[in-house]
């Protein structure tokens, strides 16, 4: 299994680890299904009162869906299947608080997940970017998720610059995407500590507060996400042209 769950009965904190470090924790279709099942399962585990999500290995939190994954699509132009739609806790009706601990790269499809946590803690070596436009793909779902967490100009620059630019952890902290910055390698410990504090509070009050916070933006978010499949269908280059762009990718990028 590439999703690992560690539970601490004393603190009430569970840690969910994307455990595919050799592939920068890129998501397979099976991992996406496993993660959705984990979130749904937590609804029935009363002993788990707060959750931390992180990536294994330290080089990446997650780099989105694995490029080798084959995602069958319906023939109708009015429908699109996206295996990452239920990647996050809120999409699975989980209202227990989730904190993300980010080390290394977080990009592309990782934002489906980061867009549904309560807050992010990052090591100083973390970076955030979205390469979709560079490779002829519309950043729609990712943009909607991150527009709830970042100032408009910041998310616009990130998604339009594509693979040419990365946001440093420090810049992410300055703009509010990251709530706490730690030395590299320290994000998980800091996230565990924060989650343990939250887990010690009465769980009914905590979950009600989480639900109230999300209710402030879910109507706008749902409406925006409803447009995303059509924008992807209209704007994505054919697969062969995307593949050609991937073969020409370089490692040259600017970090700000």
């Amino acid at each position: 299994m590439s999703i690992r769950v560690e539970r601490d009965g004393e603190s009430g904190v569970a840690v969910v680890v994307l455990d595919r470090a050799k592939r920068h924790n890129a998501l397979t279709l099976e991992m996406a299904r496993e993660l959705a099942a984990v979130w749904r399962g937590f609804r029935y585990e009363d002993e788990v009162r707060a959750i931390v999500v992180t990536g294994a290995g330290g080089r990446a939190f997650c780099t989105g869906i694995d490029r080798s994954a084959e995602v069958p699509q319906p023939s109708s132009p009015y429908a699109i299947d996206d295996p990452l739609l239920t990647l996050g806790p809120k999409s699975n009706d989980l209202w227990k608080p989730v904190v993300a601990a980010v080390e290394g790269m977080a990009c592309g499809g990782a934002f489906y997940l980061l867009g549904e946590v309560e807050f992010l803690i990052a090591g100083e070596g973390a970076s955030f970017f979205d390469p979709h436009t560079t490779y002829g793909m519309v950043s729609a779902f990712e943009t909607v998720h991150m527009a709830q967490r970042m100032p408009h100009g910041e998310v616009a620059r990130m998604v339009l610059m594509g693979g040419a630019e990365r946001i440093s952890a420090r810049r992410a902290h300055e703009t509010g995407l990251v709530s706490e910055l730690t030395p590299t390698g320290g994000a998980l410990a800091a996230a565990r500590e924060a989650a343990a504090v939250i887990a010690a509070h009465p769980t009914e009050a905590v979950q009600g507060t989480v639900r109230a916070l999300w209710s402030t933006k879910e109507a706008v978010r749902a409406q925006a996400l409803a447009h995303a499949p059509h924008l992807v269908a209209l704007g994505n280059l054919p697969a062969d042209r995307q593949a050609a762009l991937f073969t020409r990718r370089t490692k040259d990028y600017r970090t700000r």
Side-chain angles (χ1 to χ4, degrees), residues 93-150:
D93 198 34
L94 177 69
W95 301 102
K96 296 180 180 181
V98 181
V99 180
V102 180
E103 301 280 0
M105 296 181 290
C107 64
F111 298 144
Y112 286 73
L113 182 52
L114 292 179
E116 292 196 7
V117 302
E118 271 49 72
F119 55 89
L120 283 67
I121 295 176
E124 290 179 339
S127 62
F128 304 83
F129 63 102
D130 187 351
H132 276 74
T133 55
T134 299
Y135 303 123
M137 296 179 284
V138 174
S139 177
F141 293 100
E142 297 83 1
T143 297
V144 170
H145 282 296
M146 298 315 286
Q148 314 302 311
R149 313 201 71 96
M150 301 170 68

